[in-house]
């Protein structure tokens, strides 16, 4: 019989089942993690260039603004992955969030998938 492991202090599970500090390995996981929450930490899934474009600010100020902005958006009740096209460095993931379809364009940066843009 296995003992239940306690989470390490400072590491909480979030609504997506990721522990703070964990990062999805696949672009589909990044897309679902981003869409599924309104936590400010979801900005880590965006490229810096996209954050700066969306906030019209630069550097750390852009990241702070992003975290504040996403908290204003309601968390969707249901998120469904519809389709994904993935190659070595780029990916496009289609999601359905509370009945609305969106496409997330991702790029591999530093070994991680990051969202570089959105389309409908």
């Amino acid at each position: 019989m296995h003992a239940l492991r306690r989470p390490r202090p400072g590491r909480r599970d979030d609504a997506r089942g990721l522990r703070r500090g964990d990062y999805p390995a696949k672009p589909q996981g990044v897309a679902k993690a981003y869409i599924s929450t309104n936590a400010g930490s979801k900005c880590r899934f965006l490229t810096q260039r996209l954050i700066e474009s969306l906030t019209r600010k630069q550097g750390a100020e852009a990241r702070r603004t992003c975290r504040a902005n996403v908290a204003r958006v309601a968390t969707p009740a249901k998120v469904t992955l519809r389709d994904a096209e993935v190659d070595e460095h780029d990916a496009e993931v289609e999601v359905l969030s509370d009945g609305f379809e969106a496409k997330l364009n991702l790029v591999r940066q530093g070994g991680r998938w990051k969202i570089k843009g959105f389309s409908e």
Side-chain angles (χ1 to χ4, degrees):
M1 193 161 128
H2 297 286
L4 293 175
R5 285 193 277 165
R6 289 185 180 185
R8 285 192 249 157
R11 292 179 56 118
R12 297 180 310 158
D13 287 341
D14 66 11
R16 299 170 317 279
L18 292 175
R19 289 190 176 268
R20 189 178 292 160
D22 286 351
Y23 202 96
K26 296 182 179 182
Q28 299 92 323
V30 172
K32 190 164 186 174
Y34 180 82
I35 296 291
S36 296
T37 185
N38 69 347
S41 62
K42 77 188 236 171
C43 294
R44 69 189 168 133
F45 299 123
L46 305 176
T47 63
Q48 183 65 28
R49 177 181 235 164
L50 179 59
I51 292 171
E52 290 176 356
S53 173
L54 293 171
T55 62
R56 296 191 173 117
K57 299 190 187 297
Q58 301 268 317
E61 184 180 1
R63 290 187 297 277
R64 279 191 300 275
T65 302
C66 178
R67 287 190 297 267
N69 288 346
V70 298
R72 296 182 203 157
V73 178
T75 300
K78 184 175 182 181
V79 176
T80 306
L81 294 174
R82 303 228 19 220
D83 191 24
E85 292 181 24
V86 181
D87 68 26
E88 191 174 342
H89 299 289
D90 293 293
E92 181 178 277
V93 179
E94 292 180 20
V95 296
L96 193 61
S97 174
D98 287 345
F100 295 96
E101 186 175 307
K103 289 183 185 178
L104 288 75
N105 302 306
L106 295 95
V107 63
R108 203 163 193 40
Q109 284 186 347
R112 291 185 167 178
W113 289 100
K114 298 270 189 166
I115 299 166
K116 67 177 181 178
F118 305 97
S119 55
E120 292 182 28

